[in-house]
Protein backbone atom coordinates (compact mmCIF):
# COMPACT_ATOMS: atom_id res chain seq x y z
CA UNK A 1 0.00 0.00 0.00
CA UNK A 2 1.15 3.54 -0.80
CA UNK A 3 0.07 6.24 1.67
CA UNK A 4 0.89 9.90 2.12
CA UNK A 5 2.83 10.86 5.21
CA UNK A 6 -0.16 12.69 6.69
CA UNK A 7 -2.70 9.96 5.99
CA UNK A 8 -0.29 7.25 7.10
CA UNK A 9 -0.01 8.59 10.63
CA UNK A 10 -3.72 8.01 11.22
CA UNK A 11 -4.30 5.00 8.96
CA UNK A 12 -1.32 2.72 9.55
CA UNK A 13 -2.06 2.02 13.25
CA UNK A 14 -5.53 0.77 12.23
CA UNK A 15 -4.46 -1.55 9.42
CA UNK A 16 -0.93 -2.67 10.28
CA UNK A 17 -2.16 -5.91 11.91
CA UNK A 18 -4.08 -7.07 8.83
CA UNK A 19 -2.68 -10.20 7.22
CA UNK A 20 -3.62 -8.93 3.75
CA UNK A 21 -1.18 -6.04 4.19
CA UNK A 22 2.40 -6.93 3.37
CA UNK A 23 4.22 -3.65 2.75
CA UNK A 24 3.70 0.08 3.18
CA UNK A 25 5.43 2.80 1.16
CA UNK A 26 5.16 6.36 2.45
CA UNK A 27 5.06 9.27 -0.01
CA UNK A 28 6.50 12.39 1.58
CA UNK A 29 5.82 15.40 -0.64
CA UNK A 30 7.19 17.93 1.85
CA UNK A 31 10.66 17.16 3.19
CA UNK A 32 9.99 19.10 6.35
CA UNK A 33 7.18 16.75 7.38
CA UNK A 34 7.65 14.70 10.53
CA UNK A 35 8.36 11.01 9.70
CA UNK A 36 9.54 9.61 13.02
CA UNK A 37 6.26 7.68 13.40
CA UNK A 38 7.22 5.30 10.57
CA UNK A 39 9.92 3.66 12.70
CA UNK A 40 7.24 2.12 14.93
CA UNK A 41 5.74 -0.02 12.17
CA UNK A 42 7.66 -2.96 10.68
CA UNK A 43 5.70 -3.09 7.44
CA UNK A 44 6.79 0.42 6.43
CA UNK A 45 9.47 -0.21 3.83
CA UNK A 46 10.61 3.34 3.33
CA UNK A 47 9.86 7.02 2.87
CA UNK A 48 9.97 8.38 -0.69
CA UNK A 49 9.73 11.82 -2.21
CA UNK A 50 8.44 10.78 -5.67
CA UNK A 51 6.07 8.21 -7.08
CA UNK A 52 8.79 7.09 -9.54
CA UNK A 53 11.03 6.12 -6.65
CA UNK A 54 8.18 4.10 -5.12
CA UNK A 55 7.57 2.39 -8.45
CA UNK A 56 11.20 1.32 -8.69
CA UNK A 57 11.33 -0.13 -5.16
CA UNK A 58 7.94 -1.87 -5.48
CA UNK A 59 9.10 -3.47 -8.71
CA UNK A 60 12.36 -4.51 -7.05
CA UNK A 61 10.56 -5.97 -4.02
CA UNK A 62 8.01 -7.78 -6.17
CA UNK A 63 10.80 -9.47 -8.13
CA UNK A 64 12.38 -10.63 -4.88
CA UNK A 65 9.26 -11.80 -3.07
CA UNK A 66 7.26 -13.42 -5.85
CA UNK A 67 7.78 -17.17 -5.65
CA UNK A 68 5.98 -20.48 -5.33
CA UNK A 69 7.07 -23.38 -3.17
CA UNK A 70 7.40 -26.16 -5.70
CA UNK A 71 8.46 -29.75 -5.15
CA UNK A 72 9.29 -32.31 -7.76
CA UNK A 73 7.69 -35.73 -7.58
CA UNK A 74 7.90 -38.86 -9.67
CA UNK A 75 4.65 -40.76 -10.12
CA UNK A 76 3.10 -43.60 -12.01
CA UNK A 77 0.72 -43.24 -14.93
CA UNK A 78 -1.97 -41.22 -13.15
CA UNK A 79 -2.13 -37.75 -14.71
CA UNK A 80 -4.41 -36.21 -12.09
CA UNK A 81 -2.93 -33.15 -10.41
CA UNK A 82 -0.34 -32.74 -13.13
CA UNK A 83 1.56 -29.46 -12.84
CA UNK A 84 2.64 -27.84 -16.10
CA UNK A 85 5.78 -26.30 -14.61
CA UNK A 86 7.61 -29.58 -14.35
CA UNK A 87 6.45 -30.66 -17.80
CA UNK A 88 8.07 -27.46 -18.95
CA UNK A 89 11.40 -28.56 -17.51
CA UNK A 90 10.98 -32.01 -19.04
CA UNK A 91 10.63 -30.58 -22.53
CA UNK A 92 13.57 -28.29 -21.84
CA UNK A 93 15.84 -31.36 -21.65
CA UNK A 94 16.57 -31.19 -25.35
CA UNK A 95 17.70 -27.58 -25.03
CA UNK A 96 18.86 -26.18 -21.71
CA UNK A 97 19.19 -29.44 -19.79
CA UNK A 98 21.53 -30.96 -22.36
CA UNK A 99 23.61 -27.85 -23.05
CA UNK A 100 27.16 -27.62 -21.81
CA UNK A 101 27.85 -24.70 -19.49
CA UNK A 102 31.05 -22.92 -18.47
CA UNK A 103 31.94 -20.89 -15.40
CA UNK A 104 30.88 -17.71 -17.16
CA UNK A 105 27.19 -18.69 -16.84
CA UNK A 106 27.58 -18.90 -13.07
CA UNK A 107 29.39 -15.56 -12.98
CA UNK A 108 26.71 -13.93 -15.13
CA UNK A 109 23.93 -15.27 -12.92
CA UNK A 110 25.71 -13.97 -9.81
CA UNK A 111 26.22 -10.61 -11.48
CA UNK A 112 22.54 -10.43 -12.41
CA UNK A 113 21.51 -11.34 -8.86
CA UNK A 114 23.73 -8.64 -7.38
CA UNK A 115 21.85 -6.08 -9.46
CA UNK A 116 18.46 -7.57 -8.55
CA UNK A 117 19.28 -7.75 -4.82
CA UNK A 118 21.45 -4.63 -4.68
CA UNK A 119 19.74 -3.31 -1.54
CA UNK A 120 19.41 -6.65 0.25
CA UNK A 121 22.28 -6.98 2.71
CA UNK A 122 21.20 -10.51 3.63
CA UNK A 123 21.22 -11.92 0.09
CA UNK A 124 24.37 -10.25 -1.25
CA UNK A 125 26.80 -12.35 0.89
CA UNK A 126 24.90 -15.50 -0.13
CA UNK A 127 25.25 -14.55 -3.80
CA UNK A 128 29.01 -14.17 -3.32
CA UNK A 129 29.10 -17.54 -1.57
CA UNK A 130 27.10 -19.09 -4.42
CA UNK A 131 29.60 -17.83 -6.98
CA UNK A 132 32.69 -18.90 -5.02
CA UNK A 133 31.54 -22.12 -3.29
CA UNK A 134 28.80 -23.47 -5.54
CA UNK A 135 30.52 -26.85 -6.05
CA UNK A 136 30.96 -27.45 -2.31
CA UNK A 137 27.26 -28.29 -1.95
CA UNK A 138 24.65 -30.20 -3.95
CA UNK A 139 22.28 -28.34 -6.28
CA UNK A 140 19.27 -29.31 -4.15
CA UNK A 141 21.07 -28.01 -1.05
CA UNK A 142 21.32 -24.66 -2.80
CA UNK A 143 17.72 -24.83 -3.95
CA UNK A 144 16.41 -25.75 -0.50
CA UNK A 145 18.32 -22.97 1.21
CA UNK A 146 16.27 -19.94 2.25
CA UNK A 147 17.80 -17.61 -0.32
CA UNK A 148 17.58 -16.19 -3.81
CA UNK A 149 18.03 -19.55 -5.57
CA UNK A 150 14.60 -21.04 -4.96
CA UNK A 151 12.90 -17.66 -5.44
CA UNK A 152 14.40 -17.12 -8.87
CA UNK A 153 14.12 -20.69 -10.12
CA UNK A 154 10.49 -21.07 -9.06
CA UNK A 155 9.52 -17.77 -10.62
CA UNK A 156 11.30 -18.68 -13.86
CA UNK A 157 9.52 -22.03 -14.07
CA UNK A 158 6.12 -20.70 -13.07
CA UNK A 159 6.08 -17.65 -15.33
CA UNK A 160 7.82 -19.59 -18.14
CA UNK A 161 9.74 -16.53 -19.29
CA UNK A 162 12.32 -17.74 -21.76
CA UNK A 163 14.98 -15.17 -20.84
CA UNK A 164 14.81 -16.01 -17.13
CA UNK A 165 14.92 -19.74 -17.88
CA UNK A 166 18.06 -19.23 -19.97
CA UNK A 167 19.69 -17.21 -17.19
CA UNK A 168 19.00 -20.00 -14.68
CA UNK A 169 19.81 -22.72 -17.22
CA UNK A 170 22.93 -24.22 -15.66
CA UNK A 171 21.31 -24.33 -12.20
CA UNK A 172 18.14 -25.88 -13.60
CA UNK A 173 20.24 -28.52 -15.33
CA UNK A 174 22.17 -29.31 -12.16
CA UNK A 175 19.01 -29.60 -10.05
CA UNK A 176 17.43 -31.82 -12.69
CA UNK A 177 20.45 -34.15 -12.82
CA UNK A 178 20.61 -34.35 -9.03
CA UNK A 179 16.93 -35.31 -8.93
CA UNK A 180 17.56 -38.06 -11.47
CA UNK A 181 20.36 -39.48 -9.32
CA UNK A 182 18.19 -39.37 -6.21
CA UNK A 183 15.37 -41.07 -8.04
CA UNK A 184 17.59 -43.90 -9.22
CA UNK A 185 18.71 -44.48 -5.65
CA UNK A 186 15.13 -44.90 -4.44
CA UNK A 187 12.91 -47.95 -4.61
CA UNK A 188 11.76 -48.10 -8.22
CA UNK A 189 8.34 -49.46 -7.20
CA UNK A 190 7.41 -46.44 -5.12
CA UNK A 191 4.64 -44.42 -6.70
CA UNK A 192 5.66 -41.08 -5.20
CA UNK A 193 9.06 -39.58 -4.52
CA UNK A 194 9.16 -36.05 -3.10
CA UNK A 195 12.48 -34.35 -3.59
CA UNK A 196 11.92 -30.93 -2.06
CA UNK A 197 9.45 -28.54 -0.56
CA UNK A 198 5.95 -27.62 -1.51
CA UNK A 199 3.21 -28.95 -3.76
CA UNK A 200 3.72 -32.20 -5.60
CA UNK A 201 4.47 -32.24 -9.31
CA UNK A 202 3.99 -35.33 -11.44
CA UNK A 203 6.61 -36.49 -13.88
CA UNK A 204 4.75 -38.04 -16.78
CA UNK A 205 4.55 -37.44 -20.49
CA UNK A 206 1.37 -35.77 -21.67
CA UNK A 207 -0.71 -36.63 -24.74
CA UNK A 208 0.71 -34.75 -27.76
CA UNK A 209 -2.28 -32.38 -28.00
CA UNK A 210 -2.62 -31.55 -24.30
CA UNK A 211 -3.33 -27.80 -23.80
CA UNK A 212 -0.47 -27.49 -21.29
CA UNK A 213 1.97 -28.31 -24.07
CA UNK A 214 0.96 -25.41 -26.32
CA UNK A 215 2.46 -22.84 -23.96
CA UNK A 216 5.43 -25.04 -23.25
CA UNK A 217 6.22 -25.60 -26.93
CA UNK A 218 5.92 -21.86 -27.46
CA UNK A 219 8.31 -20.97 -24.66
CA UNK A 220 10.88 -23.56 -25.69
CA UNK A 221 10.52 -22.22 -29.22
CA UNK A 222 11.41 -18.78 -27.88
CA UNK A 223 14.56 -20.24 -26.35
CA UNK A 224 15.62 -21.76 -29.68
CA UNK A 225 14.84 -18.43 -31.35
CA UNK A 226 17.05 -16.57 -28.85
CA UNK A 227 19.97 -18.96 -29.37
CA UNK A 228 19.66 -18.71 -33.16
CA UNK A 229 18.21 -22.18 -33.85
CA UNK A 230 15.42 -20.86 -36.04
CA UNK A 231 14.30 -24.08 -37.72
CA UNK A 232 13.75 -25.75 -34.35
CA UNK A 233 12.00 -22.63 -33.05
CA UNK A 234 9.65 -22.66 -36.03
CA UNK A 235 8.89 -26.36 -35.56
CA UNK A 236 7.97 -25.87 -31.89
CA UNK A 237 5.83 -22.79 -32.52
CA UNK A 238 3.95 -24.71 -35.22
CA UNK A 239 3.19 -27.45 -32.69
CA UNK A 240 1.91 -24.82 -30.29
CA UNK A 241 -0.24 -23.28 -33.03
CA UNK A 242 -1.82 -26.60 -34.01
CA UNK A 243 -2.86 -27.31 -30.41
CA UNK A 244 -4.22 -23.82 -29.83
CA UNK A 245 -6.15 -23.74 -33.09
CA UNK A 246 -7.92 -26.92 -31.98
CA UNK A 247 -8.62 -25.85 -28.40
CA UNK A 248 -9.13 -22.06 -28.42
CA UNK A 249 -11.58 -19.62 -30.04
CA UNK A 250 -10.13 -17.82 -33.08
CA UNK A 251 -9.69 -14.47 -31.30
CA UNK A 252 -8.00 -15.79 -28.16
CA UNK A 253 -4.93 -13.76 -26.97
CA UNK A 254 -2.86 -16.96 -26.70
CA UNK A 255 -3.33 -17.53 -30.42
CA UNK A 256 -2.15 -13.98 -31.01
CA UNK A 257 0.98 -14.76 -29.00
CA UNK A 258 1.68 -17.86 -31.09
CA UNK A 259 1.21 -15.99 -34.37
CA UNK A 260 3.54 -13.31 -32.99
CA UNK A 261 6.23 -15.87 -32.10
CA UNK A 262 6.11 -17.42 -35.56
CA UNK A 263 6.32 -13.97 -37.11
CA UNK A 264 9.44 -13.23 -35.05
CA UNK A 265 11.15 -16.40 -36.28
CA UNK A 266 10.40 -15.42 -39.89
CA UNK A 267 11.92 -11.96 -39.24
CA UNK A 268 15.10 -13.54 -37.90
CA UNK A 269 15.23 -15.85 -40.93
CA UNK A 270 14.83 -12.87 -43.29
CA UNK A 271 11.45 -14.09 -44.57
CA UNK A 272 9.66 -10.78 -44.31
CA UNK A 273 6.52 -11.51 -46.35
CA UNK A 274 5.75 -14.54 -44.18
CA UNK A 275 6.65 -12.56 -41.07
CA UNK A 276 4.18 -9.83 -42.05
CA UNK A 277 1.43 -12.40 -42.60
CA UNK A 278 1.74 -13.87 -39.10
CA UNK A 279 2.25 -10.54 -37.36
CA UNK A 280 -0.88 -9.12 -39.02
CA UNK A 281 -2.87 -12.13 -37.75
CA UNK A 282 -1.53 -11.49 -34.26
CA UNK A 283 -2.25 -7.76 -34.45
CA UNK A 284 -5.81 -8.32 -35.66
CA UNK A 285 -6.61 -10.48 -32.62
CA UNK A 286 -4.91 -8.10 -30.22
CA UNK A 287 -6.78 -5.09 -31.59
CA UNK A 288 -10.07 -6.91 -31.02
CA UNK A 289 -9.31 -8.32 -27.59
CA UNK A 290 -7.07 -5.74 -25.89
CA UNK A 291 -7.32 -2.04 -24.93
CA UNK A 292 -5.72 0.35 -27.39
CA UNK A 293 -2.76 1.12 -25.12
CA UNK A 294 -1.94 -2.46 -24.16
CA UNK A 295 1.81 -3.30 -24.18
CA UNK A 296 1.20 -6.31 -26.46
CA UNK A 297 -0.05 -3.91 -29.13
CA UNK A 298 3.13 -1.87 -28.74
CA UNK A 299 5.07 -5.11 -29.24
CA UNK A 300 3.15 -5.89 -32.44
CA UNK A 301 3.54 -2.36 -33.84
CA UNK A 302 7.29 -2.51 -33.19
CA UNK A 303 7.73 -5.85 -34.99
CA UNK A 304 5.57 -4.90 -37.98
CA UNK A 305 7.48 -1.63 -38.16
CA UNK A 306 10.73 -3.61 -38.36
CA UNK A 307 9.28 -5.66 -41.23
CA UNK A 308 8.30 -2.55 -43.20
CA UNK A 309 11.76 -1.14 -42.48
CA UNK A 310 13.42 -4.23 -43.97
CA UNK A 311 11.06 -4.03 -46.96
CA UNK A 312 12.13 -0.36 -47.42
CA UNK A 313 8.60 0.89 -46.71
CA UNK A 314 9.90 3.60 -44.44
CA UNK A 315 6.85 5.82 -43.92
CA UNK A 316 4.74 2.85 -42.78
CA UNK A 317 7.60 1.70 -40.54
CA UNK A 318 8.02 5.11 -38.89
CA UNK A 319 4.30 5.43 -38.16
CA UNK A 320 4.21 2.01 -36.48
CA UNK A 321 7.37 2.60 -34.44
CA UNK A 322 6.00 5.91 -33.20
CA UNK A 323 2.75 4.18 -32.17
CA UNK A 324 4.75 1.60 -30.27
CA UNK A 325 6.87 4.25 -28.56
CA UNK A 326 3.82 6.33 -27.52
CA UNK A 327 2.17 3.34 -25.86
CA UNK A 328 5.33 2.33 -24.01
CA UNK A 329 6.05 5.86 -22.83
CA UNK A 330 2.48 6.14 -21.51
CA UNK A 331 2.76 2.91 -19.50
CA UNK A 332 6.38 2.50 -18.46
CA UNK A 333 9.02 4.40 -16.47
CA UNK A 334 11.46 6.35 -18.68
CA UNK A 335 14.36 3.92 -18.12
CA UNK A 336 12.45 0.74 -19.03
CA UNK A 337 14.22 -1.63 -21.50
CA UNK A 338 11.12 -1.74 -23.75
CA UNK A 339 11.45 1.99 -24.35
CA UNK A 340 15.11 1.41 -25.21
CA UNK A 341 13.99 -1.22 -27.73
CA UNK A 342 11.62 1.28 -29.34
CA UNK A 343 14.39 3.88 -29.60
CA UNK A 344 16.67 1.25 -31.13
CA UNK A 345 14.11 0.33 -33.79
CA UNK A 346 13.56 3.98 -34.73
CA UNK A 347 17.33 4.47 -34.83
CA UNK A 348 17.72 1.57 -37.26
CA UNK A 349 14.98 3.02 -39.44
CA UNK A 350 16.69 6.44 -39.65
CA UNK A 351 19.96 4.69 -40.45
CA UNK A 352 18.36 2.87 -43.38
CA UNK A 353 16.84 6.16 -44.56
CA UNK A 354 20.29 7.76 -44.52
CA UNK A 355 19.38 10.12 -41.67
CA UNK A 356 22.47 9.34 -39.67
CA UNK A 357 22.34 12.14 -37.08
CA UNK A 358 18.82 11.12 -36.07
CA UNK A 359 19.87 7.47 -36.04
CA UNK A 360 22.73 8.19 -33.63
CA UNK A 361 20.43 10.27 -31.44
CA UNK A 362 17.95 7.39 -31.00
CA UNK A 363 20.63 4.71 -30.59
CA UNK A 364 22.41 6.75 -27.94
CA UNK A 365 19.13 7.27 -26.08
CA UNK A 366 18.60 3.51 -26.20
CA UNK A 367 22.13 2.91 -24.93
CA UNK A 368 21.68 5.27 -21.96
CA UNK A 369 18.58 3.40 -20.84
CA UNK A 370 20.12 -0.04 -21.31
CA UNK A 371 23.24 0.90 -19.37
CA UNK A 372 21.02 1.84 -16.43
CA UNK A 373 18.50 -1.00 -16.62
CA UNK A 374 20.34 -4.07 -17.95
CA UNK A 375 23.30 -6.18 -16.81
CA UNK A 376 26.54 -5.09 -18.53
CA UNK A 377 26.73 -8.25 -20.67
CA UNK A 378 23.10 -8.29 -21.83
CA UNK A 379 22.72 -9.18 -25.55
CA UNK A 380 20.50 -6.13 -26.15
CA UNK A 381 23.51 -3.94 -25.35
CA UNK A 382 25.53 -5.80 -27.97
CA UNK A 383 22.84 -5.07 -30.55
CA UNK A 384 22.83 -1.36 -29.69
CA UNK A 385 26.62 -1.04 -29.87
CA UNK A 386 26.54 -2.82 -33.23
CA UNK A 387 23.86 -0.43 -34.48
CA UNK A 388 25.92 2.59 -33.41
CA UNK A 389 28.92 1.11 -35.18
CA UNK A 390 26.88 0.66 -38.35
CA UNK A 391 25.79 4.30 -38.38
CA UNK A 392 29.39 5.50 -38.06
CA UNK A 393 30.37 3.02 -40.77
CA UNK A 394 27.73 4.40 -43.11
CA UNK A 395 29.07 7.89 -42.36
CA UNK A 396 32.54 6.54 -43.25
CA UNK A 397 33.77 7.42 -39.76
CA UNK A 398 35.42 4.05 -39.30
CA UNK A 399 37.58 5.05 -36.33
CA UNK A 400 34.38 5.90 -34.39
CA UNK A 401 32.69 2.69 -35.54
CA UNK A 402 35.56 0.47 -34.36
CA UNK A 403 35.10 0.72 -30.54
CA UNK A 404 31.34 0.17 -30.85
CA UNK A 405 31.89 -2.98 -32.89
CA UNK A 406 34.48 -4.15 -30.38
CA UNK A 407 31.99 -3.76 -27.51
CA UNK A 408 29.31 -5.59 -29.52
CA UNK A 409 31.65 -8.55 -30.07
CA UNK A 410 32.85 -8.53 -26.46
CA UNK A 411 29.31 -8.60 -25.05
CA UNK A 412 28.12 -11.06 -27.68
CA UNK A 413 30.90 -13.50 -26.79
CA UNK A 414 29.81 -13.35 -23.14
CA UNK A 415 26.06 -13.63 -23.75
CA UNK A 416 25.39 -15.60 -26.94
CA UNK A 417 26.16 -19.12 -28.19
CA UNK A 418 29.35 -19.32 -30.22
CA UNK A 419 27.48 -19.97 -33.49
CA UNK A 420 24.69 -17.42 -32.97
CA UNK A 421 23.98 -15.45 -36.19
CA UNK A 422 24.10 -12.12 -34.35
CA UNK A 423 27.56 -12.84 -32.94
CA UNK A 424 28.75 -13.87 -36.40
CA UNK A 425 27.44 -10.54 -37.75
CA UNK A 426 29.20 -8.53 -35.01
CA UNK A 427 32.49 -10.29 -35.76
CA UNK A 428 32.06 -9.73 -39.49
CA UNK A 429 31.45 -6.01 -38.94
CA UNK A 430 34.48 -5.70 -36.66
CA UNK A 431 36.73 -7.46 -39.18
CA UNK A 432 35.44 -5.26 -42.01
CA UNK A 433 35.94 -1.98 -40.14
CA UNK A 434 39.50 -2.90 -39.18
CA UNK A 435 40.34 -3.13 -42.87
CA UNK A 436 39.18 0.47 -43.30
CA UNK A 437 41.20 1.95 -40.44
Amino acid sequence: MIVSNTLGQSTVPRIHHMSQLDSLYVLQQNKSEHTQWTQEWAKVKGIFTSIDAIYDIVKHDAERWEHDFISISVTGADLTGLDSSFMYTQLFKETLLEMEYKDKEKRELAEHCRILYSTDTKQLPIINEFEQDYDKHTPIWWYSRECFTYQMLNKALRTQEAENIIKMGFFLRDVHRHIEKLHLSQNQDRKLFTVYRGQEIDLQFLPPNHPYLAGTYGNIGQVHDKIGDYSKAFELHQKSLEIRQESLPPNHPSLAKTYYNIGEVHIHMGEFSKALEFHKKSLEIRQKSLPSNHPDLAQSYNSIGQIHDHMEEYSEALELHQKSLRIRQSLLPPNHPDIAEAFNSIGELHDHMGEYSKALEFHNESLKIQQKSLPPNHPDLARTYNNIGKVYDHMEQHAEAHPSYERAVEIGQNSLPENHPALELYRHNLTAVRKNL
Side-chain angles (χ1 to χ4, degrees), residues 91-266:
L91 289 172
F92 253 92
K93 285 178 67 177
E94 61 183 288
T95 51
L96 295 179
L97 298 183
E98 294 183 356
M99 289 175 63
E100 291 300 321
Y101 295 95
K102 300 177 181 177
D103 284 342
K104 74 172 185 177
E105 280 80 13
K106 182 174 63 179
R107 291 195 302 271
E108 288 171 2
L109 176 59
E111 183 178 90
H112 173 71
C113 292
R114 289 189 188 101
I115 295 172
L116 185 60
Y117 293 87
S118 59
T119 61
D120 192 324
T121 56
K122 179 181 176 182
Q123 294 296 329
L124 287 172
I126 300 175
I127 294 168
N128 293 335
E129 181 185 349
F130 178 86
E131 182 178 15
Q132 296 167 11
D133 300 331
Y134 176 73
D135 294 330
K136 293 182 180 180
H137 304 283
T138 67
I140 288 178
W141 183 91
W142 280 110
Y143 177 83
S144 301
R145 187 174 180 179
E146 294 286 341
C147 67
F148 71 97
T149 49
Y150 75 80
Q151 296 173 10
M152 290 189 64
L153 181 56
N154 285 345
K155 180 183 177 182
L157 293 176
R158 181 166 46 80
T159 59
Q160 299 189 6
E161 295 176 357
E163 186 171 342
N164 289 338
I165 290 287
I166 294 172
K167 203 176 294 292
M168 297 290 291
F170 86 92
F171 185 55
L172 176 59
R173 179 206 61 182
D174 290 351
V175 170
H176 176 80
R177 289 181 178 177
H178 192 195
I179 291 167
E180 287 182 326
K181 290 179 182 179
L182 289 172
H183 175 50
L184 291 174
S185 69
Q186 302 292 317
N187 185 340
Q188 296 294 322
D189 294 330
R190 290 180 64 188
K191 294 201 70 178
L192 184 65
F193 168 45
T194 301
V195 176
Y196 47 84
R197 66 166 65 105
Q199 67 193 58
E200 293 172 356
I201 298 175
D202 298 312
L203 191 158
Q204 178 65 47
F205 292 106
L206 291 172
N209 63 344
H210 195 287
Y212 277 145
L213 293 180
T216 305
Y217 284 136
N219 284 312
I220 299 173
Q222 286 182 283
V223 173
H224 281 285
D225 192 16
K226 284 180 178 293
I227 64 176
D229 188 356
Y230 302 132
S231 60
K232 187 65 176 177
F234 179 77
E235 176 188 337
L236 288 161
H237 287 315
Q238 280 294 127
K239 286 183 179 180
S240 176
L241 179 61
E242 290 167 7
I243 295 171
R244 284 179 165 162
Q245 284 176 328
E246 289 179 5
S247 59
L248 297 175
N251 286 329
H252 195 282
S254 293
L255 262 176
K257 177 64 174 174
T258 304
Y259 287 133
Y260 177 88
N261 289 339
I262 294 174
E264 288 296 282
V265 175
H266 282 303

Side-chain angles (χ1 to χ4, degrees), residues 366-402:
S366 177
L367 182 62
K368 288 178 187 176
I369 295 173
Q370 290 172 338
Q371 287 174 329
K372 293 177 181 177
S373 61
L374 297 175
N377 282 327
H378 195 284
D380 286 358
L381 275 165
R383 175 193 168 197
T384 302
Y385 278 116
N386 184 70
N387 287 341
I388 292 172
K390 282 196 301 180
V391 177
Y392 281 121
D393 240 354
H394 295 156
M395 297 169 70
E396 297 188 3
Q397 298 178 13
H398 305 302
E400 287 78 4
H402 182 255

Side-chain angles (χ1 to χ4, degrees), residues 66-83:
E66 184 180 0
H67 62 86
D68 267 350
F69 294 110
I70 300 175
S71 75
I72 294 180
S73 305
V74 182
T75 74
D78 185 9
L79 291 180
T80 59
L82 184 65
D83 189 295

